[in-house]
Amino acid sequence: MAPKTYKEMKEEWVTGHTGGSVADVNIVSFAMPLSILLWSVIQQRLRLFIPYTPAVCLVDFLLNCTATLCATTVYSSSPWALNALLLLPAIALLVLEQPAATRRDVSRLSKKDKAVESKLDALPVKPFITHYRGAMMVMTCVAILAVDFPVFPRRFAKVENWGTSLMDMGVGSFVFTAGVVSARSALKGAAGTRAPLLQRLLTAFRHAIPLLVLGVVRFISVKGLDYAEHVTEYGVHWNFFFTLGFLPPFAALMQSAFDLVPSYAILSCILAGLYEVALDKTSLGGFILVAPRTDLLSKNREGIFSFIGYLAIFLAGQSLGSSALPRQQTLQKDASIMTKLRQTTLGRLVLTSIMWTALFYMSTSYHGLNLTVSRRLANLPYFLWVASFNSYHIAIVCAIEALLFPNIYKASSKEEEARRTRDATSTVLYAFNRNGLAVFLVANLLTGLVNMTMPTLHMGVLQSMAVLVAYMGTVAGVALALDRYNISIKL
């Protein structure tokens, strides 16, 4: 037998995996909210990140990028150790230090201030959303290159057919968080006059064109450079950029269905449920998994049909965004616990997390539907797992904000609220969130460059970590530079 080429070894390296447990994914990914907690405690207690000097930027990078990198590599076999290293300093600071004085803290408003308060944005920028989306982008950028090194455990790589893994969750979370922020435009449309369907579709296609072009460029590059590829991930021609590109127009179509079923959560469940019925009760499931690749449809069946599941995930993200993005109304001091759960942002997020988690376990338990998660199919359990995971992580980050920065939304003017919001937001995570898709594109280009110039499969731990830290430093540098020069690239 002829020895395998390096390309064949690379393709074998990312295929045939079965993943790990849901608990394993939860424990490892818990480093993200704990990093945000530690950053928030340092900022609230010490005001370390103001002014934002190069040394402070390095601390920000170490907390919010390097911690995630370590969680998925050198600490992957002992995630609780890293989690403790992040949690214990946060607890110590909370116990030993008093909150640092702020330049202005308005707790009581005059009549004039109340008049100004009424003009505050109904959809304010919320640091916990920025933090979570930025942290997920960091995790995504880490994983797409780290997976090519032995230091990244195989149980984190995308599974072949059935199972759960960190990278499987990363793909779904990318789509879910895109749905969360897209709810902003939907909420603005609901407040005013919604544009006609044709106009919404044209606008959506304008947003989709750059992503579809990137999909074509990626396909040509992969084929032209003879780059290692994992065909069963999306198909022969399809890639993740096509999935992202087709989401806006289909989401615009689903806004019309919203008139009939006024709940994105219910719409997403209906869509995912019907797709699961088709997978189980027809030959569709077998076609996606084992059919020969003879024509354009069969060659790209994974990407085409899994898009239905990703669209459901996107709608679930819109559902959460519809609850999380609007300004929270002032509650009476004697409001009941149930009233607080229903009317506060954190309460709604907790209820949403419980709902999605219960549905996920009903779909996978022996006494429920007894289904298995499949990212390749983007089936019902995968959809529910992604919705549950992201909901409770966002709820945790929201709780951190509510605990440490409770006065953000009590400002007396837009300017004061903007300052408080910025003070409570990591600059690194803000930069990753601000130009998310552009940063993702840069990360993809750097990943290709590293893989074409370095034998990643044969590199030891120290070499691998040196390359990965330099790579993340470069990606973060690009994100920070774009933010520093006030550049927003909308793809």
Side-chain angles (χ1 to χ4, degrees), residues 43-155:
Q43 176 69 342
Q44 195 246 12
R45 290 302 202 247
L46 306 177
R47 307 292 288 176
L48 176 67
F49 300 98
I50 299 173
Y52 201 73
T53 63
V56 166
C57 179
L58 177 60
V59 175
D60 198 357
F61 172 77
L62 292 174
L63 283 175
N64 291 303
C65 293
T66 308
T68 297
L69 173 60
C70 290
T72 56
T73 53
V74 291
Y75 277 94
S76 58
S77 59
S78 54
W80 282 117
L82 178 62
N83 290 344
L85 289 174
L86 294 170
L87 181 60
L88 293 178
I91 294 175
L93 280 174
L94 282 171
V95 172
L96 300 176
E97 291 286 339
Q98 293 296 317
T102 58
R103 281 173 285 176
R104 186 183 177 198
D105 189 10
V106 180
S107 58
R108 293 185 178 181
L109 303 177
S110 66
K111 291 182 179 180
K112 181 180 178 181
D113 288 333
K114 289 182 179 179
V116 175
E117 184 190 28
S118 65
K119 298 178 183 178
L120 294 173
D121 290 335
L123 299 172
V125 175
K126 297 193 173 183
F128 76 90
I129 297 292
T130 301
H131 276 162
Y132 186 70
R133 290 196 76 225
M136 284 306 307
M137 184 58 64
V138 169
M139 176 70 83
T140 301
C141 293
V142 165
I144 61 175
L145 178 59
V147 69
D148 296 312
F149 291 85
V151 72
F152 188 86
R154 294 302 87 198
R155 72 181 192 276

Side-chain angles (χ1 to χ4, degrees), residues 13 173 207 223 328:
W13 183 251
S173 297
H207 287 295
K223 299 299 181 183
Q328 180 178 300

Side-chain angles (χ1 to χ4, degrees), residues 394-409:
I394 292 175
I396 292 171
V397 181
C398 179
I400 293 170
E401 178 187 296
L403 173 67
L404 296 172
F405 303 104
N407 294 322
I408 291 177
Y409 312 110

Side-chain angles (χ1 to χ4, degrees), residues 15 158-162 168 171 229-240 242-244 246 275 279 284-311 374-379 382:
T15 58
K158 291 177 182 176
V159 301
E160 191 67 22
N161 293 319
W162 309 99
D168 287 336
V171 175
E229 54 184 325
H230 188 188
V231 173
T232 58
E233 188 175 350
Y234 295 107
V236 176
H237 310 100
W238 198 279
N239 57 60
F240 190 51
F242 288 128
T243 297
L244 293 176
F246 283 115
Y275 177 50
L279 289 173
L284 179 61
F287 171 75
I288 296 173
L289 293 175
V290 299
R293 301 183 187 275
T294 56
D295 53 24
L296 193 63
L297 176 64
S298 60
K299 287 180 179 179
N300 298 285
R301 56 186 186 263
E302 292 92 349
I304 292 171
F305 289 104
S306 68
F307 176 79
I308 301 171
Y310 286 117
L311 179 58
S374 173
R375 188 266 322 152
R376 185 179 177 186
L377 298 174
N379 61 354
Y382 178 70

Side-chain angles (χ1 to χ4, degrees), residues 129-393:
I129 297 292
T130 301
H131 276 162
Y132 186 70
R133 290 196 76 225
M136 284 306 307
M137 184 58 64
V138 169
M139 176 70 83
T140 301
C141 293
V142 165
I144 61 175
L145 178 59
V147 69
D148 296 312
F149 291 85
V151 72
F152 188 86
R154 294 302 87 198
R155 72 181 192 276
F156 292 166
K158 291 177 182 176
V159 301
E160 191 67 22
N161 293 319
W162 309 99
T164 56
S165 76
L166 188 69
M167 289 194 72
D168 287 336
M169 176 51 67
V171 175
S173 297
F174 198 105
V175 173
F176 187 92
T177 54
V180 171
V181 295
S182 75
R184 182 177 295 273
S185 58
L187 288 168
K188 289 180 179 178
T193 303
R194 185 186 296 173
L197 176 60
L198 181 59
Q199 184 178 337
R200 295 203 307 272
L201 285 174
L202 289 174
T203 302
F205 272 112
R206 281 200 296 271
H207 287 295
I209 287 173
L211 289 167
L212 296 177
V213 170
L214 288 175
V216 172
V217 170
R218 177 177 171 80
F219 165 71
I220 294 173
S221 301
V222 168
K223 299 299 181 183
L225 297 172
D226 197 30
Y227 193 72
E229 54 184 325
H230 188 188
V231 173
T232 58
E233 188 175 350
Y234 295 107
V236 176
H237 310 100
W238 198 279
N239 57 60
F240 190 51
F241 286 111
F242 288 128
T243 297
L244 293 176
F246 283 115
L247 282 173
F250 278 89
L253 285 173
M254 295 302 291
Q255 283 187 357
S256 299
F258 187 78
D259 294 331
L260 301 175
V261 183
S263 167
Y264 287 116
I266 294 176
L267 276 175
S268 65
C269 288
I270 291 173
L271 183 62
L274 291 175
Y275 177 50
E276 184 63 39
V277 170
L279 289 173
D280 294 342
K281 303 301 181 182
T282 70
S283 59
L284 179 61
F287 171 75
I288 296 173
L289 293 175
V290 299
R293 301 183 187 275
T294 56
D295 53 24
L296 193 63
L297 176 64
S298 60
K299 287 180 179 179
N300 298 285
R301 56 186 186 263
E302 292 92 349
I304 292 171
F305 289 104
S306 68
F307 176 79
I308 301 171
Y310 286 117
L311 179 58
I313 290 171
F314 187 84
L315 293 174
Q318 282 192 314
S319 174
L320 185 139
S322 299
S323 297
L325 295 179
R327 181 178 297 279
Q328 180 178 300
Q329 299 301 312
T330 303
L331 295 177
Q332 298 295 329
K333 290 184 178 180
D334 58 349
S336 66
I337 294 178
M338 286 308 300
T339 299
K340 291 179 179 179
L341 282 174
R342 291 194 302 269
Q343 297 186 11
T344 63
T345 301
L346 179 57
R348 289 194 296 268
L349 288 174
V350 170
L351 291 176
T352 299
S353 304
I354 293 171
M355 177 195 73
W356 288 124
T357 303
L359 289 174
F360 169 64
Y361 280 105
M362 285 174 59
S363 72
T364 56
S365 69
Y366 177 78
H367 297 290
L369 298 179
N370 199 25
L371 299 172
T372 305
V373 173
S374 173
R375 188 266 322 152
R376 185 179 177 186
L377 298 174
N379 61 354
L380 178 65
Y382 178 70
F383 152 73
L384 293 172
W385 179 44
V386 170
S388 168
F389 177 93
N390 284 275
S391 295
Y392 82 73
H393 267 75

Side-chain angles (χ1 to χ4, degrees), residues 52-54 56-58 60-61 65 422 426-435 439 472-487:
Y52 201 73
T53 63
V56 166
C57 179
L58 177 60
D60 198 357
F61 172 77
C65 293
R422 201 67 183 88
S426 157
T427 300
V428 166
L429 295 184
Y430 178 87
F432 269 88
N433 175 67
R434 180 177 183 177
N435 288 289
V439 171
M472 282 307 299
T474 304
V475 174
V478 170
L480 288 166
L482 291 173
D483 180 50
R484 173 68 177 80
Y485 291 102
N486 199 29
I487 299 173

